[in-house]
Amino acid sequence: MGLFVLAMLQNGLAGGVIFGWASIDTTILSASDESGGAGLTLHETTLIFSRASSVAMLSSLILGILLDSYGPRVCSIISSCIIVVGCHIFASSHHFTGTSIGACLIGFGGPGITSSII
């Protein structure tokens, strides 16, 4: 239980630095549409990161079943496809909903690739 709490704290406190969220949070996502950004508020970008982090933590449960049932190659391919779709949605969206869905898909697929490599 202690390791679980430590993992949650680490992700909450250092996840943005490790995954680069801090660099896009105050620049690309908050820039106006005219400047090529998404024009999101700080509150919206924080919500996106929180949702994507939560989905990433829960996806291991689902992708773990896929990994155990079909092996690392299938899990890695499916996770990579989920990330590709998420990157496309994230990059092409200029609104909160699309950006949030894209980030959640990227967060969902990431642990599947990591688990497959291990």
Side-chain angles (χ1 to χ4, degrees):
M1 188 61 146
L3 290 175
F4 179 73
V5 171
L6 179 65
M8 287 177 33
L9 287 173
Q10 185 276 332
N11 186 59
L13 298 176
V17 175
I18 294 170
F19 299 118
W21 186 259
S23 62
I24 65 170
D25 184 19
T26 56
T27 55
I28 297 171
L29 294 178
S30 61
S32 66
D33 281 336
E34 294 82 24
S35 300
L40 301 174
T41 65
L42 182 60
H43 175 70
E44 290 173 328
T45 58
T46 303
L47 273 175
I48 291 169
F49 177 71
S50 300
R51 290 176 181 173
S53 294
S54 298
V55 167
M57 294 298 127
L58 294 174
S59 73
S60 296
L61 299 172
I62 297 166
L63 294 174
I65 295 169
L66 181 70
L67 180 65
D68 292 340
S69 300
Y70 298 102
R73 185 173 298 171
V74 172
C75 184
S76 180
I77 290 169
I78 291 174
S79 295
S80 295
C81 290
I82 292 170
I83 290 173
V84 166
V85 170
C87 286
H88 175 69
I89 292 171
F90 187 86
S92 62
S93 178
H94 292 283
H95 301 287
F96 171 73
T97 304
T99 307
S100 183
I101 291 169
C104 285
L105 286 172
I106 294 168
F108 185 85
I113 294 175
T114 306
S115 299
S116 298
I117 293 170
I118 293 172

